[in-house]
Amino acid sequence: MNAGRGRGLAVYTVLFYIYLYLPILILVAFSFNSQRLNLAWEGFTLHWYDVLLADAKVGAATRNTLTVALFSTLIATAIGTLAALALHRYEFGLRRVSETALYIPIVIPEIVMGIGLLSLYATLKISLGLTTITLSHIAFSIPFVALVVRARLHGFDRSVEEAAMDLGANELVTFVRVTLPLILPGVLAGAMLALTLSLDDFIITFFTAGPGSTTLPLLVYGMVKTHITPEINALSTIWVLTVFVLLFIFQALQRRTPSAA
Amino acid sequence: MTAIGRAVRRLRESPALQGTGLILPGLLWMVVFLIVPLILIVVLSFGWRGEYGPVDWGTTPTEFLSRLSFSNYARLIDPLYMGVLGTSLRMAGLTTAICLVVGYPVAYFLARSSHRWRSLLLFLLLVPFWTNFLIRIYAWMLLLRTEGLVNRGLVTLGLIPEPLQIMYTPTAVMIAMVYEFLPFMVLPLYTSLEKLDPALLEAASDLYARSARTFLRVTLPLSLPGVIAGTILVFIPTMGMFVVPDLMGGARTALVGNLVQRQFLAARDWPFGAAASMVLMALTLAATVLYTRVSGFGEELVV
């Protein structure tokens, strides 16, 4: 790389990161500002964090979000892993149909899936709430889990399974003691993705939520739409910090697992 | 031998049966919660709005089916709605193009930087990527308000005499959408540029290719899978976008996403909303198919 051009690119990249982070940093700074209007710096306060923690709506939304994410992640990870194993190892009649069905959610706008699910629940007269949100989250997570697990299955050495069977283990024992530990990093990566997608989802949740099932993204939307207060800044700050810490842990874990897996 | 014993033996001997068994839960879930809803939307788009509910299902299924028509699609030909479709295509296309031009040099720099810098910069790219998009929109709402920091800064510097009205304009929507989707473009671009063998670039320069030529003939073609994946990752969600215009666009900037959302949640004319969403999906799929035919993609989507 030409030195001058390299320096130009470096400067450009630094500017890019400033652009990426400045809005978020200003948002975070103003969460500690004593002025209510979010306009100019007045003085340091933790008042908005007190307001946030005392807000019953925030507590309820956090519980809803975590409940949905827990069930959706567990079920989507199990189903998605089985699908990945099927597509990686077997030839069967439904293969093409399955590949297509798993590909569709990745290439259609989320809003279309959202209104489709809303129409489905309305037609079946299922009342909207945490159950409908969870069922929908599982639906959009399965393809991503399957995709991630399948990518990790490449290079899996089946001879270890054959060895276990030759030594007298049956299919179940072989799966639990040999296969699962070997594909676990992939399954965990898939689960992390499913968890994040569920925690973060706004669009599909927006169409499939009912009264009393407000999740955190829906709550933020409602707050931003009606009145801007530093309480949203405080909530956002905690959110960004959580993402930062989780990503840090995830990256550290990834670095420690051997890349062969 | 018992029936169960026979079934177990058949399963052991037939890989096709094992595969089907493993895929079945996933396939059934996708059929019930994706395929059936999509078919429902297709049927709805030919239906009628009910007098008291969002859909008129008729008294019998035969009556419902006999009344299906193209009337919702005919309504979409109205210049008002064609304008909305045009605006959506233009804004989604422009957002994608800006993200590509702004993001490409960053992805290139990341792919060429030393290992230590690269993992740090990549990590810093993932934080906004995984931060909820409503938070990122809110950050820009604070900045772009009439009395927000951008306006105050410009006035203080004497660049403008009085605050500009940026919020509730198409400009505000574009600013927020580009910011929203830049990481979705940079990540796949980086993935494909990282695989590019530096020896190829050296070879090109050994053969006296000028740097512009090297870029156009070697770097760009080899990063095409990343360009395609990034374009699709940005174009599809921006085509269906309704949240950014809803919060920052005011009444003047409506996209197809807003049209669909309003029909389903405010106007309660589901058949018309369904027809609009069919057009949205057709436009998106057409664009996607066009791109994927230029070059196949798959693993680039896994970031």
Side-chain angles (χ1 to χ4, degrees):
Chain A
M1 197 190 293
N2 177 309
R5 190 148 28 86
R7 202 168 302 139
L9 261 181
V11 172
Y12 178 82
T13 304
V14 169
L15 289 176
F16 172 84
Y17 275 92
I18 292 174
Y19 159 75
L20 210 56
Y21 275 86
L22 202 59
I24 297 175
L25 291 177
I26 290 171
L27 177 78
V28 168
F30 274 79
S31 76
F32 300 106
N33 187 8
S34 56
Q35 192 199 45
R36 188 184 184 87
L37 295 171
N38 248 322
L39 288 176
W41 186 259
E42 222 175 59
F44 181 86
T45 178
L46 287 175
H47 172 71
W48 304 110
Y49 289 87
D50 288 335
V51 174
L52 184 73
L53 292 178
D55 193 334
K57 284 194 305 254
V58 175
T62 309
R63 271 193 301 280
N64 287 342
T65 309
L66 293 177
T67 310
V68 170
L70 177 73
F71 285 104
S72 151
T73 304
L74 288 176
I75 298 170
T77 306
I79 295 178
T81 303
L82 294 183
L85 282 168
L87 293 171
H88 182 69
R89 310 187 153 174
Y90 299 98
E91 279 310 321
F92 49 96
L94 294 169
R95 189 186 183 91
R96 275 189 69 90
V97 184
S98 313
E99 298 250 22
T100 311
L102 289 171
Y103 183 64
I104 293 173
I106 303 174
V107 294
I108 62 167
E110 259 191 291
I111 185 173
V112 180
M113 196 170 163
I115 57 166
L117 286 162
L118 171 60
S119 309
L120 175 77
Y121 300 135
T123 310
L124 298 177
K125 300 198 164 55
I126 300 172
S127 55
L128 299 176
L130 289 181
T131 314
T132 49
I133 301 177
T134 311
L135 293 172
S136 314
H137 281 203
I138 295 168
F140 70 65
S141 302
I142 289 172
F144 287 98
V145 174
L147 201 70
V148 171
V149 176
R150 230 177 133 181
R152 295 287 183 102
L153 277 170
H154 279 295
F156 181 87
D157 187 1
R158 287 205 72 179
S159 61
V160 286
E161 285 177 337
E162 279 155 24
M165 304 274 279
D166 287 346
L167 291 169
N170 64 23
E171 284 88 348
L172 190 67
V173 173
T174 308
F175 181 76
V176 174
R177 305 280 301 263
V178 179
T179 316
L180 202 56
L182 281 172
I183 64 169
L184 201 62
V187 176
L188 285 180
M192 275 294 284
L193 188 61
L195 180 75
T196 325
L197 289 173
S198 171
L199 291 176
D200 215 42
D201 183 72
F202 171 76
I203 297 173
I204 286 173
T205 314
F206 185 65
F207 287 100
T208 54
S213 62
T214 303
T215 62
L216 279 173
L218 293 185
L219 184 77
V220 172
Y221 174 77
M223 286 166 110
V224 168
K225 204 162 163 92
T226 47
H227 53 283
I228 286 181
T229 81
E231 189 189 345
I232 315 173
N233 296 48
L235 179 58
S236 306
T237 303
I238 295 176
W239 200 318
V240 175
L241 206 67
T242 311
V243 169
F244 194 86
V245 171
L246 285 180
L247 263 177
F248 194 79
I249 295 172
F250 187 59
Q251 295 238 321
L253 283 175
Q254 268 200 325
R255 217 163 292 154
R256 272 179 46 192
T257 39
S259 56
Chain B
M1 199 189 274
T2 62
I4 297 172
R6 272 200 300 276
V8 168
R9 224 184 106 193
R10 269 196 65 195
L11 190 63
R12 276 205 173 138
E13 282 163 6
S14 160
L17 220 55
Q18 293 165 15
T20 311
L22 289 174
I23 198 77
L24 222 48
L27 185 60
L28 278 178
W29 204 286
M30 297 324 283
V31 167
V32 175
F33 295 101
L34 180 76
I35 310 294
V36 170
L38 288 179
I39 294 171
L40 199 58
I41 291 291
V42 175
V43 175
L44 269 183
S45 73
F46 296 104
W48 294 86
R49 172 189 195 165
E51 223 167 300
Y52 304 106
V55 186
D56 181 359
W57 287 109
T59 40
T60 60
T62 350
E63 193 208 329
F64 174 76
L65 289 173
S66 69
R67 289 179 54 202
L68 296 181
S69 75
F70 281 95
S71 63
N72 296 309
Y73 292 95
R75 268 175 74 192
L76 278 170
I77 299 173
D78 185 287
L80 174 72
Y81 299 125
M82 291 320 256
V84 170
L85 285 175
T87 312
S88 304
L89 272 174
R90 209 171 46 242
M91 289 190 102
L94 201 58
T95 305
T96 312
I98 296 175
C99 285
L100 182 59
V101 172
V102 173
Y104 200 103
V106 177
Y108 186 87
F109 182 80
L110 250 68
R112 291 282 151 272
S113 57
S114 69
H115 190 78
R116 267 186 63 175
W117 275 107
R118 192 190 302 186
S119 38
L120 176 71
L121 291 173
L122 217 49
F123 176 75
L124 288 177
L125 198 64
L126 285 173
V127 175
F129 183 84
W130 285 120
T131 298
N132 192 273
F133 82 130
L134 287 162
I135 292 177
R136 288 180 286 149
I137 297 173
Y138 174 64
W140 277 99
M141 288 172 74
L142 288 184
L143 288 174
L144 296 179
R145 284 183 298 173
T146 318
E147 63 287 16
L149 279 174
V150 168
N151 265 319
R152 284 152 54 100
L154 291 175
V155 171
T156 313
L157 290 171
L159 292 172
I160 49 171
E162 55 188 61
L164 300 167
Q165 174 67 44
I166 310 174
M167 270 298 277
Y168 311 116
T169 66
T171 314
V173 176
M174 282 302 303
I175 291 175
M177 291 220 290
V178 168
Y179 183 76
E180 245 2 299
F181 291 105
L182 257 172
F184 289 76
M185 179 66 86
V186 178
L187 284 170
L189 281 178
Y190 161 77
T191 315
S192 68
L193 281 167
E194 192 218 1
K195 288 182 197 143
L196 195 139
D197 189 351
L200 287 174
L201 303 180
E202 277 167 35
S205 89
D206 286 348
L207 294 169
Y208 302 107
R210 275 212 302 238
S211 47
R213 207 176 147 86
T214 308
F215 177 77
L216 286 175
R217 301 290 292 267
V218 181
T219 314
L220 193 59
L222 286 172
S223 66
L224 212 56
V227 174
I228 290 162
T231 305
I232 289 171
L233 279 178
V234 176
F235 187 77
I236 293 176
T238 43
M239 269 306 282
M241 176 56 72
F242 68 93
V243 187
V244 176
D246 188 41
L247 292 172
M248 299 182 73
R252 282 188 293 151
T253 327
L255 303 183
V256 201
N258 301 89
L259 181 62
V260 174
Q261 182 230 327
R262 276 174 214 160
Q263 298 307 319
F264 270 84
L265 298 178
R268 304 206 45 91
D269 186 348
W270 289 15
F272 184 53
S277 81
M278 290 309 296
V279 174
L280 163 66
M281 205 157 71
L283 288 175
T284 318
L285 283 180
T288 312
V289 167
L290 209 73
Y291 268 111
T292 37
R293 279 183 72 172
V294 179
S295 153
F297 80 101
E299 58 182 316
E300 303 288 332
L301 274 175
V302 192
V303 222

